[in-house]
Structure formats: C-alpha cells, structure tokens
C-alpha cells in the first residue's frame, strides 16, 4: 500500500496526460485517423473497465493484474485494429 501511494502521489497527472497524448499521436502518424480513433477509444474503454473491476474486486492493482491488463489491451488493439481496417 505504501509504495502504491508514493507512486500515485509522485506521478503528476500531466505526465500521464502527456503519455496518452504521445501514444495517440503515434497512432495517428502510423495509420489513418479513423483507425487510430477506434483503437484508442477501444483501449481507453477497456482500461477504464479493467481499472474499475480491479478496484471493486481487489481493492487495488497488483503486478499480476498489471500483466494481465497488458495482455488484454494488446488483444484489444489487435481486434480493434482489424475491425477498423475493415471499416476504413
């Protein structure tokens, strides 16, 4: 608990925002705008749902849940990217 609170307290929200902005811009540069928006939107929704589930069921996050989240988000990116490429 103490380590988690230190990380949360010392990681400014501007750093998180810049991280997401960088990821979004990379997506826009590599694909067309429609694909990037669909993939990023899917990832944000999945991250929100995973975070809510972790807070509800586990009262926080652990290393195992972070690893599982990474794998789930990778799967979402692949599926959403495939769907978006068919649409665009």
């Amino acid at each position: 608990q103490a380590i988690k609170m230190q990380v949360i307290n010392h990681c400014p929200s501007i750093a998180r925002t810049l991280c997401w902005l960088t990821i979004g811009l990379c997506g826009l540069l590599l694909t067309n705008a429609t694909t990037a928006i669909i993939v990023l939107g899917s990832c944000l929704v999945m991250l929100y749902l995973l975070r809510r589930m972790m807070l509800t069921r586990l009262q926080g996050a652990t290393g195992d849940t972070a690893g599982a989240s990474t794998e789930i988000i990778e799967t979402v990116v692949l599926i959403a990217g495939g769907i978006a490429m068919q649409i665009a």
Side-chain angles (χ1 to χ4, degrees):
Q1 289 288 352
I3 294 173
K4 178 176 74 170
M5 292 309 294
Q6 287 178 356
V7 170
I8 290 171
N9 290 335
H10 295 300
C11 182
S13 62
I14 189 72
R16 289 188 297 259
T17 304
L18 287 174
C19 180
W20 280 110
L21 200 57
T22 303
I23 292 169
L25 289 175
C26 288
L28 286 173
L29 291 173
L30 295 174
T31 62
N32 60 19
T34 305
T35 303
I37 289 170
I38 291 172
V39 171
L40 286 174
S42 301
C43 288
L44 290 175
V45 168
M46 184 55 68
L47 280 173
Y48 171 76
L49 293 173
L50 286 170
R51 182 178 184 278
R52 196 172 106 196
M53 184 182 68
M54 283 185 245
L55 290 175
T56 303
R57 293 186 181 188
L58 303 174
Q59 288 77 39
T62 65
D64 289 339
T65 58
S69 296
T70 302
E71 297 299 322
I72 292 169
I73 293 300
E74 286 177 9
T75 305
V76 168
V77 166
L78 292 172
I79 292 171
I83 292 171
M85 294 302 270
Q86 293 296 322
I87 292 172

